[in-house]
Amino acid sequence: MDLLTALQGGFGDAPDALRIDGRPLSREHLLGAAGAVAARAAGARALAVLARPEAETVVAVVGGLLAGVPVVPVPPDAGPVERAHILRDSGAELLAGADEPVDGVEPLPVDLTETQAVSLPEPASERPAFVLYTSGTTGPPKGAVLSHRAVAADLDALAAAWAWTPEDTLVHGLPLFHVHGLVLGVLGALRTGSRLVHTGRPTPEAYARAGGSLYFGVPTVWSRVAADEPSARALAAARLLVSGSAPLPVPVFEKLAALSGHQPIERYGMTETLITVSTRADGERRPGSVGLPVAGVATRLVGEDGTPVPWDGESVGELQVSGPTLFDGYLNRAEADAEVRTSDGWFRTGDVATIAPDGFHRIVGRASVDLIKSGGFKIGAGEVEAALRDHPAVADAAVVGAPDADLGQAVVAFVVADGAVTGDQLTAFVAERLSVHKRPRRVVLVAELPRNAMGKVLKKRLLEG
Ligand code: MCA
Ligand code: AMP
């Protein structure tokens, strides 16, 4: 397939070209097992995949791509409300990884012992490869439609920036339902021809044991590695450590560099744009900076009044991006789509940044307090607030991202409750509805929420208090 060039042969193979949570898989075996999935999925409107960190997930995803059917990864821990939304909104007709129908969607069994050679027509490059669900400030997650072409353009740009080749062994243990772990972390290996070790969970010990050359992690992972000296030192044998999905704190950058001998690469992106800015394997790695736009991507900084912001390394503006890696839009959400695009076709990231005279980008924060990044997961405050308000005892709720040394931000809920409900009960209530990482880490029961004259909750005041 055009997207997954390493599956076309010519890159060599090995019985463990891929190792997912301890299970070895050759590329030939992957292609055969994915062929069996593709034969069943061909013609479906969309293929949802319960994206557990295991080989079956990779087989199902590749099967969907081979068949030219949009793949919709579903977080395996998604509660019934979130899962039903993703299945319904995406129009998925099949669910790989399920044993029985879920919300009326038929299960598609994935069996690694079953292989089939299929000759399906090559999906056109503008066809959707994925519909990836991502949180907004309010409402349920929106499905971002990403084409084969956008994914290929991004992976090629990253391969160039990071000198990523078939000689590499990529190691990570990130979830397989987001851009970071799935698009970069699996398809990247299947396009560049590098080997892949998925560690199941991204623990420092597993990273140290894996003996790879190229490592991916979110800042929480790197912070845990840096705090585990023997594991950090073991990474000295690697070639490149890459951080992304949230800001990498400068002390973590420095500690990692001191212990492993590698200054980490930091890169920036979004589900909607894929990875657009990065430092380079052959360039400066400046702590606190995400570097330069990758090949084909252009960026600009825009002030609140819509005028360009100077590249002086200090003036802040909204970061806007354009280029071949952008998504095609939000599924079934024309209005949301219009909000994130400018009249001249640029994408509004909602991130606030500076650009230095030499072009280096620094992400300063998000324009909205209602988008929380916890452990690299994006969480919309509104979605968690709505889940809390579904509880009969809850009269009102406000959710914020409080600074947290391990997670970057931690989800904290301020709740006005009528009855005798405890914080733990409310946390469990949210976990039953949404993915587990959306659970509040802390619930603070309050008599009322601070509001301004317009009735809007003063979240900054909640954070200060
Ligand atoms: C978690 N636990 C809790 C709560 N939250 N218990 C009670 N109340 C809570 N609120 C439990 C967990 O279930 C777990 O239990 C234990 O506490 C430890 O949880 P945690 O601290 O969350 O650690 P973790 O489970 O190890 O998670 C940290 C993590 C994870 C591994 C860094 O956050 C992660 O995988 N992040 C990656 C996110 C990611 O890939 N984002 C990419 C988005 P137990 O041990 O029993 O299970 S794509 C993107 O952003 C763009 C495109 C980009 O730029 O990449
Ligand atoms: P997601 O919707 O999960 O794709 O998250 C995208 C968001 O993650 C961006 O809009 C940024 O706020 C944040 N992000 C990703 N990479 C970085 C980074 N290197 N530094 C700071 N923020 C980042």
Side-chain angles (χ1 to χ4, degrees), residues 66-78:
L66 282 174
V69 172
V71 173
V72 185
V74 179
D77 62 2

Side-chain angles (χ1 to χ4, degrees), residues 5-370:
T5 32
L7 292 182
Q8 292 167 353
F11 282 78
D13 201 358
D16 61 349
L18 299 100
R19 187 176 281 278
I20 319 285
D21 199 15
R23 185 139 172 205
L25 201 63
S26 68
R27 293 198 191 100
E28 188 188 359
H29 188 168
L30 167 60
L31 188 60
V37 170
R40 288 206 193 92
R45 196 165 146 209
L47 168 67
V49 178
L50 265 184
R52 301 187 190 95
E54 49 194 41
E56 283 81 356
T57 298
V58 174
V59 166
V61 168
V62 172
L65 295 173
L66 282 174
V69 172
V71 173
V72 185
V74 179
D77 62 2
V81 173
E82 186 174 341
R83 193 180 54 210
H85 164 71
I86 294 174
L87 292 176
R88 195 176 336 106
D89 188 69
S90 65
E93 291 177 337
L94 295 164
L95 178 59
D99 303 324
E100 49 189 45
V102 177
D103 297 314
V105 180
E106 286 302 312
L108 185 149
V110 181
D111 181 351
L112 293 193
T113 63
E114 197 185 330
T115 62
Q116 189 172 333
V118 286
S119 60
L120 292 159
E122 173 66 32
S125 65
E126 63 275 13
R127 284 277 304 159
F130 292 103
V131 182
L132 294 182
Y133 279 80
T134 182
S135 295
T137 51
T138 57
K142 299 188 285 282
V145 180
L146 287 156
S147 66
H148 283 246
R149 181 168 47 201
V151 171
D154 202 50
L155 294 177
D156 291 349
L158 295 179
W162 303 340
W164 186 357
T165 72
E167 303 304 311
D168 277 308
T169 296
L170 169 65
V171 177
H172 72 92
L174 297 168
L176 297 182
F177 46 88
H178 282 310
V179 164
H180 198 163
L182 181 61
V183 178
L184 275 58
V186 174
L187 301 199
L190 297 178
R191 186 162 175 87
T192 59
S194 72
R195 294 167 88 117
L196 169 65
V197 177
H198 189 283
T199 58
R201 287 189 76 136
T203 61
E205 303 77 21
Y207 275 36
R209 262 199 315 270
S213 62
L214 174 62
Y215 281 80
F216 291 171
V218 295
T220 300
V221 169
W222 290 125
S223 156
R224 293 176 184 183
V225 169
D228 177 355
E229 214 178 301
S231 295
R233 289 196 188 283
L235 298 185
R239 182 178 70 79
L240 209 65
L241 314 182
V242 183
S243 179
S245 301
L248 182 68
V250 171
V252 176
F253 179 107
E254 284 168 350
K255 197 152 177 222
L256 208 50
L259 292 174
S260 72
H262 298 290
Q263 291 192 313
I265 288 275
E266 187 167 3
R267 94 302 181 279
Y268 159 86
M270 290 184 77
T271 302
E272 293 89 333
T273 63
L274 300 176
I275 308 310
T276 48
V277 185
S278 182
T279 52
R280 297 181 59 90
D282 62 0
E284 184 193 351
R285 315 200 192 144
R286 195 176 297 168
S289 169
V290 293
L292 303 165
V294 300
V297 169
T299 60
R300 67 186 187 189
L301 274 189
V302 180
E304 273 176 25
D305 57 1
T307 58
V309 169
W311 290 20
D312 57 13
E314 283 174 17
S315 305
V316 296
E318 185 194 32
L319 184 64
Q320 300 186 351
V321 300
S322 75
T325 68
L326 262 53
F327 75 148
D328 293 329
Y330 296 113
L331 195 67
N332 312 323
R333 299 277 190 293
E335 256 174 52
D337 208 55
E339 274 171 31
V340 294
R341 298 199 199 258
T342 65
S343 53
D344 56 348
W346 290 61
F347 178 83
R348 307 176 46 146
T349 64
D351 287 307
V352 178
T354 65
I355 303 180
D358 61 4
F360 264 56
H361 291 51
R362 193 162 58 87
I363 308 297
V364 176
R366 285 210 62 94
S368 169
V369 292
D370 287 329

